[in-house]
Amino acid sequence: MKIALMDSGIGLLAATAAVRRLRPDADLILSLDPDGMPWGPRTPDDVTGRALAVAEAAAAHRPDALIVGCNTATVHALPALRDRFEPALPVVGTVPAIKPAAAGGGPVAIWATPATTGSPYQRDLIERFGGGAAVTEVPCPGLADAVEHADEAAITSAVAEAAALTPDDVTTVVLGCTHYELVAERIRAAVQRPGTPRLVLHGSAGAVAAQALRRIGARPDPGAPAEGTLTVLLSGREGALPAAALTYDEGLLLRTVTPAR
């Protein structure tokens, strides 16, 4: 089994680690775009072009499925990616987990990039899947970039800024950017109010990994031999995980289980 994941940077680590935990025997191809990152400020057409190039590099390794481990790329490029690769190569996008978050019934906050916050895309998701729950959109300027570079001071500042915009009665936070899942516990600590039930966080990594397996007719097997390989592509060139990736548990898991080749 071979599964590819793509993103501009290390936001794909959360989904990659989720796949690795479900199938330690799967070969993984990570296709990043250091030459073109960040994708967030780019136009939709530009994002689509970069995403197609990164996906082509991954597809050359003949994976069984391709995970778009980036909310921005999913918003702008998923139709083009599916037109290009499906049905031969199933393409799985990443969508904020608004539906399961709203099912909890409590007030919900969606942390997302400033470009996504208030966008027609996110507003449509809230309307379709919010289920009547009180939903607050919280912009998080600079957080994705801070996580990408493992800039501790910038992460602390960006998390604190977003936490200050999060209503006190929020019981659930949707992590609407894949980078945010790498600092989930720091977000929980910043938003958690004294004397309240443990804050619920909803990321997309687990659901995306499970959907990729379903698309190829495979089942989770966490007990499979940890023999899966790891190939890293940097704007199409074979390389190694960026140093910043190894500051997060998800990156360390990949290095420990399957050293990059």
Side-chain angles (χ1 to χ4, degrees):
M1 183 191 309
K2 188 180 292 186
I3 296 178
L5 299 97
M6 56 169 282
D7 190 3
S8 61
I10 64 173
L12 51 63
L13 284 179
T16 304
V19 173
R20 173 59 75 228
R21 292 186 182 104
L22 291 176
R23 290 301 299 248
D25 57 336
D27 293 338
L28 302 178
I29 301 100
L30 308 190
S31 190
L32 288 67
D33 188 27
D35 292 356
M37 67 176 299
W39 287 351
R42 292 179 175 273
T43 65
D45 286 347
D46 204 5
V47 170
T48 298
R50 301 300 306 189
L52 284 168
V54 168
E56 290 282 5
H61 290 254
R62 303 181 64 83
D64 300 300
L66 172 65
I67 293 173
V68 185
C70 172
N71 295 89
T72 297
T74 298
V75 171
H76 297 305
L78 188 61
L81 290 166
R82 285 183 166 159
D83 285 346
R84 170 65 184 84
F85 296 106
E86 291 193 340
L89 175 61
V91 179
V92 178
T94 299
V95 177
I98 295 172
K99 185 174 183 179
V108 175
I110 304 174
W111 282 34
T113 63
T116 299
T117 300
S119 66
Y121 164 77
Q122 184 158 287
R123 291 283 168 84
D124 179 62
L125 290 176
I126 294 170
E127 184 175 340
R128 286 193 289 148
F129 301 119
V135 177
T136 301
E137 297 179 88
V138 178
C140 305
L143 181 53
D145 191 56
V147 172
E148 177 69 32
H149 295 97
D151 184 331
E152 290 296 316
I155 292 171
T156 298
S157 176
V159 168
E161 182 179 342
L165 298 175
T166 304
D168 289 345
D169 63 347
V170 158
T171 62
T172 306
V173 172
V174 175
L175 305 177
C177 170
T178 54
H179 280 81
Y180 302 171
E181 297 191 49
L182 301 179
V183 292
E185 290 308 314
R186 296 175 67 164
I187 292 172
R188 189 197 305 277
V191 178
Q192 184 75 56
R193 310 303 180 192
T196 62
R198 181 175 170 82
L199 185 76
V200 178
L201 299 179
H202 280 279
S204 302
V208 166
Q211 175 67 0
L213 293 182
R214 282 193 292 270
R215 289 290 305 274
I216 62 176
R219 294 185 177 183
D221 187 4
E227 298 174 347
T229 61
L230 180 68
T231 300
V232 178
L233 305 173
L234 305 174
S235 297
R237 307 175 299 271
E238 288 206 29
L241 283 172
L246 301 180
T247 66
Y248 300 105
D249 290 342
E250 292 83 353
L252 291 173
L253 170 68
L254 298 176
R255 186 182 68 171
T256 300
V257 176
T258 52
R261 64 176 190 182

